[in-house]
Amino acid sequence: MLLDPRGPRFAAALTTVVLAVALVTGSGWLVLAQAVVFALTAAHPRLGPYGLLFRALVAPRLAPPAELEPVAPVRFAQLVGLAFATVGAAGWLGGVPLLGLVATAAALAAAFLNAAFGLCLGCEGYLAIRRLTGRPLAARTPARPG
């Protein structure tokens, strides 16, 4: 399965906002909500909440994508985000605010890099693992017209 790469980037922008608000407010519940979004998206990237918003509200206003990307790196990146958000939420809600702060800030940094520069750290990590195990995977493929 292939995805429009602008969808995950849009999701990263929303994630950036959510995690920035969580970091400023120290809201473990907001970090936990983001963890749920990561989990849903990892389970099915096309049906994640932010992906649905992208496809309903943003994609119809854009030209078709020039390239498509495989789902597997995006799914892996969502699992990495889930891990950081889960640790962050546990820190905030468990009375260890430094742990919550560090884990949330790390997730925020990764989301911001993707949103602002198109650099998906989790995706790159997935591709690096594939190369190291001798199973390379193309990062993107040209989209077919129509």
Side-chain angles (χ1 to χ4, degrees):
M1 181 188 308
L2 299 172
L3 292 174
D4 180 341
R6 299 170 298 183
R9 196 164 177 185
F10 172 80
L14 293 179
T15 300
T16 297
V17 171
V18 169
L19 292 176
V21 170
L23 204 57
V24 168
T25 63
S27 173
W29 293 109
L30 194 52
V31 179
L32 185 60
Q34 182 59 52
V36 170
V37 170
F38 282 136
L40 293 170
T41 306
H44 200 300
R46 289 184 50 93
L47 296 179
Y50 300 159
L52 290 173
L53 279 174
F54 173 79
R55 288 202 337 271
L57 302 176
V58 179
R61 292 166 174 72
L62 301 174
E67 300 176 311
L68 298 174
E69 66 183 2
V71 170
V74 174
R75 181 173 280 135
F76 181 81
Q78 293 296 304
L79 289 171
V80 172
L82 173 60
F84 276 93
T86 300
V87 170
W92 291 113
L93 298 173
V96 187
L98 182 59
L99 178 62
L101 176 75
V102 171
T104 304
L108 171 60
F112 175 76
L113 286 172
N114 192 356
F117 304 108
L119 175 60
C120 174
L121 295 178
C123 300
E124 292 300 324
Y126 177 84
L127 296 173
I129 290 168
R130 293 286 299 226
R131 283 190 296 272
L132 289 171
T133 59
R135 300 175 7 201
L137 177 70
R140 297 211 173 146
T141 59
R144 288 185 232 145

